[in-house]
Amino acid sequence: MRYIIMEKEIIDLIVDNSFVDSNGKAIQADDEIGLNSLNCIQLIVLLEDKYNIEFGYSDLSVESVNTVSKIINYILSHKN
């Protein structure tokens, strides 16, 4: 249940902040988000604030947050 709630929250965060143009198509958890490096850092900052976590230096990359599933797994594994 928590995973599904987080999935919706993160998809909403991505769409609401215009990180992707979904063209009205629903974003799925395993879809590549298609971030550039600037969007990546902006998204990471929003995720850190929302979920009270801190991304490690080695995780500050597009590959770390290029799908909703990866984001959720990262958050769940780094939550206090």
Side-chain angles (χ1 to χ4, degrees):
M1 180 68 155
R2 175 93 174 122
Y3 187 94
I4 294 169
I5 293 169
M6 286 182 73
E7 183 178 319
K8 177 160 178 19
E9 290 174 346
I10 292 167
I11 289 171
D12 289 347
L13 185 75
I14 290 166
V15 172
D16 291 348
N17 287 281
S18 303
F19 291 124
V20 296
D21 182 10
S22 63
N23 293 324
K25 180 182 157 202
I27 297 172
Q28 302 300 312
D30 292 321
D31 289 348
E32 292 263 339
I33 298 171
L35 299 170
N36 62 38
S37 55
L38 177 60
N39 292 135
C40 169
I41 298 302
Q42 291 171 329
L43 177 58
I44 286 172
V45 168
L46 290 170
L47 293 167
E48 287 178 332
D49 289 344
K50 181 166 185 66
Y51 293 102
N52 196 30
I53 61 167
E54 189 170 322
F55 278 71
Y57 181 76
S58 62
D59 299 317
L60 299 177
S61 68
V62 172
E63 293 77 29
S64 295
V65 293
N66 65 352
T67 69
V68 173
S69 295
K70 284 184 182 179
I71 294 169
I72 293 170
N73 290 332
Y74 188 90
I75 292 168
L76 292 175
S77 67
H78 290 83
K79 202 75 168 128
N80 293 338

